[in-house]
Amino acid sequence: MAEVTAKHPAGLSTAQTGGESSQRSAAPAEQIVSALLRYGVSISLALVLLGGVLLVAETGLGESLRVDPRVAPIEGMAQPWPTTIGGVLRGALALHPDALILLGLLLLIATPVLRVVVSMVLFLAEGDYVYVGITLFVLAMLVLGFFLGAAHG
Amino acid sequence: MAESWQFFVVLLTVSFGAGLLGALLGLGGGVILVPALTLLLGVDIRYAIAASIVSVIATSSGAAAAYVRDGITNMRIGMFLETGTTAGAVTGALVGGLLSGRALYLIFSVIIAYCACAMFQRRRQEAVAATQGDAIARRLRLGGTYHDPALGHHVEYCAHNTLPVLGLTYVAGIVSGLLGIGGGPLKVPAMDIAMRLPIKVSTATSNFMIGVTAAASAIIYFMRGQIHPALAGPVAAGVLAGALTGARLMGRVRGKAIRILFSGLLAVLAAQMLLKALG
């Protein structure tokens, strides 16, 4: 078994060379992950650009242009843009420029995490339980890291 | 800031450059973006760091979409090493206070200088001889093949020194937050020098990994209100455009050029950290 895998170190990384049984099942996994990343990036870029156009058009809703990023934010003072996911969603539905940009950025941030979740499902479908475990460990560390970071706030 | 359109032109240009270089070198571009934003544009460090974290994710996803499709990214090696970087980040958050100081900068300045030399020495090694890798790499199938248009043929590889490299990525995860550098400057040399992967596989796989580690801190910056929409929005757009351009260039660029560029960047980084160590 080890000999075979050594000669053909096939895996999820070998979409280019067809012919071996393990690679036929591998290629779609790469296509799915690649498509997920592409769609995530495209949709978030579209939202950022839409928000940017509305911001520059000065619809009166965009506040962030008036906040100079060269001046340090004042401790404890609320920013004029939403800082919760719910706030961003409500603002984006009302076509609020800052909220649209932030929704795009939140989607961008969520994309790599979604990628880990999708990889786990793909490893599960392949019956590759070692990698299901590896992926679950990464997800657990991400959640733990988030709560530790939030607690240190 | 609304009155100065020059600000946005410089912002977009710098972001495009950071995305382009980041996609080719497997870095988030924070090495370029944070100094450019703070020194060139005078942006406050809190907004700059948050924008830079967003740019890391933009580079990662933008470039990885292309590299995964082209089979350059090794998703198994990426997932395997992510256990090290994410566990390291958690450890760093727990013990961060105990590990600060000049000694840390000095140690990593030396390590990074060594990496710069080692990568420069390896610059002529375009294709790695197809080797068996180590037992763990075979067991976990940490190898593969990819097509290199610049070489005109397929390159086969398998990972070496799997466990030491996992340890290195764990250390990289711990210190990257403390030293203010992303994981890329440590991960790529580890994959290149110790795992003996082709350089394009190393940078593409690093690109794939960095977005995940950055996501947790990005959400925290968002909740603190440090993600400035009018600043981070243009940065993300510019970085994405740069990363997509860089990913297109990757096929044609020689591995030698990537290694020389990378070791040059490491040399600058090593010098910066030495300066911080000396105060």
Side-chain angles (χ1 to χ4, degrees):
Chain A
M1 180 59 200
E3 286 292 303
V4 175
T5 43
K7 261 184 228 157
H8 306 286
L12 287 168
S13 64
T14 46
Q16 290 289 320
T17 51
E20 285 146 46
S21 60
S22 60
Q23 283 165 355
R24 270 198 294 277
S25 64
E30 302 201 305
Q31 280 167 13
I32 291 168
V33 169
S34 171
L36 170 82
L37 294 174
R38 216 166 35 244
Y39 284 122
V41 161
S42 309
I43 298 169
S44 61
L45 186 61
L47 286 167
V48 167
L49 290 179
L50 176 65
V53 167
L54 291 177
L55 194 62
V56 176
E58 301 228 29
T59 51
L61 287 166
E63 294 289 333
S64 68
L65 275 181
R66 279 185 275 280
V67 178
D68 193 331
R70 287 167 298 196
V71 179
I74 300 158
E75 203 73 41
M77 208 177 81
Q79 298 284 19
W81 55 79
T83 54
T84 59
I85 293 171
V88 167
L89 285 174
R90 279 192 297 277
L93 283 174
L95 292 183
H96 193 298
D98 291 332
L100 281 169
I101 295 176
L102 286 172
L103 183 64
L105 297 180
L106 282 178
L107 187 68
L108 194 68
I109 294 165
T111 303
V113 183
L114 273 176
R115 191 266 296 165
V116 179
V117 175
V118 167
S119 326
M120 193 195 64
V121 175
L122 291 171
F123 286 130
L124 202 62
E126 276 186 22
D128 193 338
Y129 299 111
V130 175
Y131 274 91
V132 173
I134 286 175
T135 317
L136 278 174
F137 179 81
V138 170
L139 279 176
M141 286 299 126
L142 282 179
V143 173
L144 198 60
F146 168 73
F147 282 113
L148 279 175
H152 281 243
Chain B
M1 82 184 255
E3 75 283 354
S4 57
W5 59 271
Q6 293 100 323
F7 184 94
F8 282 102
V9 174
V10 177
L11 190 64
L12 282 172
T13 313
V14 165
S15 305
F16 183 86
L20 183 80
L21 212 59
L24 284 174
L25 300 183
L27 307 166
V31 182
I32 304 149
L33 208 56
V34 173
L37 287 181
T38 53
L39 300 177
L40 208 62
L41 293 172
V43 171
D44 182 72
I45 186 74
R46 274 149 288 214
Y47 292 129
I49 288 177
S52 159
I53 282 281
V54 169
S55 106
V56 170
I57 301 172
T59 312
S60 174
S61 294
Y67 295 153
V68 169
R69 185 198 57 215
D70 297 343
I72 309 176
T73 301
N74 190 311
M75 297 210 299
R76 279 176 193 275
I77 295 180
M79 282 307 319
F80 175 70
L81 294 181
E82 271 167 27
T83 60
T85 54
T86 51
V90 167
T91 313
L94 286 172
V95 301
L98 309 173
L99 282 173
S100 51
R102 291 180 176 184
L104 199 65
Y105 278 110
L106 190 63
I107 293 166
F108 278 89
S109 166
V110 173
I111 291 174
I112 287 176
Y114 165 78
C115 291
C117 297
M119 279 186 81
F120 189 73
Q121 275 184 342
R122 275 171 61 80
R123 68 191 180 279
R124 278 183 235 285
Q125 291 207 333
E126 288 286 354
V128 194
T131 46
Q132 291 228 336
D134 61 34
I136 299 162
R138 288 201 298 273
R139 168 91 176 75
L140 294 173
R141 292 193 279 160
L142 302 177
T145 335
Y146 78 99
H147 179 71
D148 195 327
L151 297 174
H153 58 76
H154 284 77
V155 180
E156 200 179 333
Y157 60 90
C158 194
H160 294 76
N161 302 311
T162 306
L163 279 189
V165 170
L166 183 64
L168 282 175
T169 55
Y170 177 66
V171 174
I174 297 175
V175 297
S176 60
L178 306 172
L179 297 178
I181 57 169
L186 293 168
K187 266 181 281 184
V188 174
M191 284 190 267
D192 186 52
I193 302 162
M195 270 192 158
R196 285 189 250 157
L197 303 177
I199 185 67
K200 289 186 184 179
V201 174
S202 302
T203 59
T205 305
S206 171
N207 255 318
F208 182 72
M209 292 165 65
I210 52 179
V212 173
T213 332
S217 27
I219 285 291
I220 291 162
Y221 288 129
F222 160 72
M223 296 190 311
R224 286 187 199 154
Q226 277 177 244
I227 298 185
H228 190 306
L231 180 78
V235 166
V239 164
L240 273 177
L244 294 175
T245 312
R248 279 176 176 271
L249 283 176
M250 181 72 124
R252 276 177 274 160
V253 174
R254 286 261 172 184
K256 182 181 172 182
I258 298 174
R259 281 209 182 90
I260 290 174
L261 207 59
F262 204 106
S263 46
L265 194 94
L266 287 179
V268 173
L269 206 58
Q272 276 180 357
M273 294 175 73
L274 187 65
L275 282 176
K276 278 186 190 163
L278 300 175

